[in-house]
Amino acid sequence: MDLQEKKKLLEEIEAKVQACTLCPLYKQATRGVPGEGNPNADIFFIGEGPGKKEDELGRPFVGAAGKLLEQLLQHIGITRNDVFIGNVVKHRPPGNRDPLPEEAAACWPYLEKQVEIIKPKIIVLLGRHSLARFLPGKVISQVHGKPFRKENLVYYPMYHPAAALYNGSLRDTMFQDMARVPVILKKIKNS
Ligand code: URA
């Protein structure tokens, strides 16, 4: 699929997200946050759901957690324009509560389609909600920094950047885990 076609299909998803009523989250949200980035990205980062700032701007990871994510990207010499960034749920859960399983399930087809279109080589699962959707049963404290191959894709769990904002001791771990991403990507490309 060429770049133009990918862009068109991703825009169709964006429009669907903005009009989505499949779960009640849209009712209290300002707008949808479909996700954004390079349609040809090798790396797809998947967080939990939009926070206050994301809800205001309609863009993923633009608040405090986003700043840390950008530093983590810089650590491996890339920017958010090189990757694709999305979330498990596309509308903000009220008061930043955890997304409910039924909300994540309702939103799943959008994420599935984005992955299908972008065809990343590695999906970085940011935090336990993203982990639970893709690798159910795994515990983030046990699997962060370890790649998992499943159906021709490599999943790589990491702590959520917001977790490191609350618990500073996770910060070093996150930078160490991020440093392995280009190493794993190189291995995938050479295999
Ligand atoms: N946290 C998330 O999980 N996603 C965002 O887009 C922002 C903060």
Side-chain angles (χ1 to χ4, degrees):
M1 203 187 306
D2 69 18
L3 183 63
Q4 283 317 314
E5 201 171 336
K6 283 187 170 194
K7 276 190 178 161
K8 187 175 145 266
L9 292 174
L10 289 169
E11 279 167 17
E12 281 172 19
I13 295 175
E14 285 172 25
K16 282 190 183 148
V17 165
Q18 297 305 358
C20 186
T21 57
L22 289 176
C23 85
L25 286 180
Y26 76 95
K27 291 184 187 167
Q28 290 184 61
T30 310
R31 54 178 58 78
V33 181
E36 66 181 28
N38 182 347
N40 282 327
D42 284 336
I43 316 171
F44 191 156
F45 287 86
I46 302 180
E48 175 181 330
K52 188 167 184 293
K53 192 102 188 174
E54 289 77 20
D55 175 72
E56 276 166 25
L57 299 178
R59 299 181 56 209
F61 283 96
V62 286
K67 285 230 161 57
L68 180 53
L69 179 59
E70 286 175 9
Q71 288 170 20
L72 288 158
L73 293 174
Q74 200 180 18
H75 186 58
I76 57 167
I78 59 175
T79 72
R80 51 192 297 152
N81 296 329
D82 298 310
V83 301
F84 201 88
I85 305 176
N87 279 305
V88 168
V89 293
K90 317 288 198 209
H91 282 97
R92 182 191 183 203
N96 290 353
R97 66 156 169 76
D98 288 350
L100 301 173
E102 56 269 31
E103 293 162 350
C107 218
W108 176 246
Y110 298 125
L111 199 48
E112 209 176 23
K113 262 258 143 46
Q114 287 173 320
V115 171
E116 215 178 283
I117 296 163
I118 295 161
K119 293 203 186 344
K121 299 210 162 33
I122 175 164
I123 293 186
V124 179
L125 305 170
L126 295 172
R128 61 195 170 89
H129 291 279
S130 182
L131 179 65
R133 283 307 311 176
F134 288 90
L135 301 173
K138 303 244 186 274
V139 179
I140 190 73
S141 57
Q142 291 167 6
V143 299
H144 72 89
K146 293 182 186 153
F148 292 82
R149 188 177 277 278
K150 195 175 138 187
E151 289 151 20
N152 253 348
L153 253 169
V154 172
Y155 296 92
Y156 187 67
M158 283 181 57
Y159 284 109
H160 192 288
L165 298 179
Y166 293 109
N167 176 358
S169 66
L170 292 180
R171 213 182 136 88
D172 286 353
T173 306
M174 288 206 73
F175 278 86
Q176 283 160 19
D177 287 351
M178 186 63 109
R180 297 196 61 210
V181 170
V183 180
I184 296 164
L185 193 56
K186 200 167 167 192
K187 268 195 197 147
I188 298 170
K189 284 184 171 175
N190 290 337
S191 68

